[in-house]
Amino acid sequence: MPYPRSVALITGAGSAQGIGFATAKLLAQAGIAIAITSTTARIHDRAHELRQAGFNAFSVEADLTDWSAVTHVVHETLATFGHLEILINNAGMTQVGTAMGDQPVETLSLEEWEQGLARNATTAFLCCKAVLPVMKAQRYGRIVNVASVTGPVVTNPFEAAYAAGKAAMVGLTRTLALETATWGITVNAVAPGWIATASSTPEEHHAARYSPVGRAGTPEEVASAIRWLAAPEASYVTGQILIVDGGNSLMENKAPSLSLGIAPDSESNET
């Protein structure tokens, strides 16, 4: 089924190697007009790349923890395209120029805790709040929240604020799905695991080798899941979390296992 004259707003799409921009390219290839945002001016480079490839795209630089900035983004999207059918809440995890606050709970400051929740949960909440009147008026919409396995499914030491924020995104997804089900709006989440992006650390690349698939995922693999949830034919799927982690969260014993073909000194599957 083709996308009906759709426009997608994708947040957190500033990185050329990130999930947000991979999603923007994949949706643009399906004929969808694209509005992208990030907190820095590099977002305009991403929009230029899309236009150079022949796609209909524009960009807005905005801090999506600020309600006035969020409403400005939605207003500009509507002013440019006249309608808005798809929202992809990908903003979160890190913000350029802002510390992550990765430390034990006992030393984590209230400010760092609140920043983690704001980057991940509040941005999604505000963007959903801003687009809902538009989607309800047209009785159609697709919202996909990019959460994580960290928080909703598993976690790591020193990531309390990040894990709490991503878990909150899933709670928001489920509640909003119930509130909007009769309006032709679906609300779902994807939960990526180890994904090879520009912000991936050597430790994360190493950890990904011990997943059942034996490698990190790609932004395009996550984008493919997002694209399906954003499609018209996904109309009977709402309030769900789709895990994209190569089976990693299934495995209780993460020790190297020859039976799975995972060897601690093997480099063949590393990305």
Side-chain angles (χ1 to χ4, degrees), residues 27-223:
L27 293 182
Q29 289 165 11
I32 296 172
I34 302 297
I36 52 176
T37 75
S38 78
T39 57
T40 65
R42 64 180 179 170
I43 194 64
H44 304 306
D45 296 330
R46 304 289 82 77
H48 178 71
E49 290 176 44
L50 291 172
R51 289 192 294 268
Q52 286 289 98
F55 302 127
N56 191 4
F58 94 108
S59 52
V60 184
E61 184 179 346
D63 176 2
L64 300 179
T65 64
D66 180 344
W67 172 243
S68 63
V70 171
T71 56
H72 172 71
V73 168
V74 173
H75 177 270
E76 289 299 301
T77 300
L78 293 173
T80 301
F81 298 119
H83 50 99
L84 174 60
E85 286 74 30
I86 300 168
L87 170 65
I88 311 298
N89 282 312
N90 179 66
M93 187 174 178
T94 60
Q95 181 174 315
V96 175
T98 304
M100 281 283 286
D102 290 347
Q103 55 187 295
V105 170
E106 61 186 306
T107 60
L108 188 68
S109 71
L110 177 60
E111 180 182 11
E112 289 166 329
W113 168 261
E114 290 177 339
Q115 285 176 348
L117 296 182
R119 279 196 298 267
N120 294 285
T122 302
T123 54
F125 161 71
L126 292 178
C127 288
C128 288
K129 181 179 175 66
V131 304
L132 280 175
V134 178
M135 292 183 174
K136 281 189 172 184
Q138 64 200 16
R139 301 193 69 85
Y140 181 87
R142 296 285 183 268
I143 297 174
V144 183
N145 295 322
V146 182
S148 173
V149 292
T150 305
V153 184
V154 296
T155 194
N156 295 297
F158 317 128
E159 294 188 4
Y162 175 75
K166 291 300 187 181
M169 288 184 77
V170 173
L172 171 66
T173 298
R174 290 171 172 157
T175 301
L176 193 55
L178 293 178
E179 293 179 0
T180 61
T182 59
W183 294 88
I185 301 168
T186 65
V187 188
N188 293 287
V190 295
W194 301 119
I195 306 299
T197 67
S199 63
S200 297
T201 66
E203 291 78 10
E204 289 170 338
H205 281 295
H206 182 72
R209 290 169 49 205
Y210 296 102
S211 69
V213 172
R215 62 170 176 84
T218 67
E220 290 75 19
E221 287 172 318
V222 182

